[in-house]
Amino acid sequence: MSYAMETFDPEIFEAINQELERQTNHLEMIASENFTIPAVMEAMGSVFTNKYAEGYPYKRYYGGCEHADTVEQLAIDRACELFNCKFANVQPHSGSQANGAVYAALLKPYDKILGMDLSHGGHLTHGSKPSFSGKNYQSFTYGVELDGYINYDKVMEIAKTVQPKIIVCGASAYAREIDFKKFRDIADEVGAILFADIAHIAGLVCADEHMSPFPYADVVTTTTHKTLAGPRGGMIMTNDEDIAKKINSAIFPGLQGGPLVHVIAAKAVGFKYNLSDEWKTYAKQVKANTKVLADVLIKRGFDLVSNGTDNHLVLVSFVGKEFSGKDADAALGAAGITVNKNTVPGETRSPFVTSGIRVGAAALTSRGMKETEFEIIANKMADVLENIEDSELHAKIKDEMKELASKFVIYDKAIY
Ligand SMILES: *Cc1c(COP(=O)(O)O)cnc(C)c1O
């Protein structure tokens, strides 16, 4: 019996290869996605998937962990170097797990969380009602003004009224720089813990292309698969030894069992990439490309939330227009450009329909696209949005986008 995937499981083999084709032929502009490097995929597909390593480096509950210790310690050391902090836990299986561990470590059930409203750009795990964070804790929210910016004076007022145990800053759909120092002042004023979730912007932060949450935040979480372009996973960082100990216990044995050593190995490889000079160039290019996207869309008459961008994404608002975010998402999808619908300030439609889209530049920048390509793509997006019902035009643009994409092939095979 052969266990090579092609012969052992042709259905899955076929689906994986079709996914490679999809990723190659479409323009991926979902702001939370990226393309990782083959070395990261090699680590993820490695023999470490077989290994149980409950515990932490050099303090394990299983034998045979000496090589698991090596990779986890390297991942931790590289993470600390990358973000200039003292402690890192690289075991969270995802960003949501990381956030759950922060609350489990630092709060009691029904303590008060103050986070950014999901419909204003926050994340489910920042206290949203359908999430554990809104069920197990008393959650309160702040949002953005109609101009698309966080009003820090207002956050201060809300914090004084709410008196939260923890303030969460960081977002999934916010195009402007987050001022962690101002959040620190707010947290100090009300005696709250400051928790920064940099899941979206971490790849910019580690390249000095966005203000760092250190030294302002008490605890910081991130995903490793968004702008960091590493494997799918989460991480928690702090400079506070007491918090670090609580976090470690909250992850294991609190919330998780055995760590995903193969993913931790891949995180270490990803961090090595993030520490390179090449990465600094990449992060700069992400911002430059996003700026072109914003400028072209504004020139073509579209409303951008906050009227521009400081980071890797733009939010386009269709408030007052006949078509919705859902319509725009579908039309762009038909034109080979993948984005996602998103609520925007002054929203009048339901979260399933919305009046906006979120568009990010990180993934296409990883494929090597620069300002020239982003100018072409942004103009094609505008063409689609101006002709939202012209399916013939969408099909024509889809062919053009496939042609453009074919010049920026990122993988030569589906499985590394
Ligand atoms: C994506 C995201 C998360 C959650 O990450 P998952 O890996 O999807 O669980 C948490 N916080 C923010 C701000 C995010 O954007």
Side-chain angles (χ1 to χ4, degrees), residues 94-97 99 123 125-126 170-172 197 199-200 223 225-226 233:
S94 71
S96 298
Q97 291 281 97
N99 292 354
H123 189 261
T125 56
H126 296 183
S172 299
D197 175 352
H200 256 267
T223 56
H225 51 274
K226 295 181 183 174

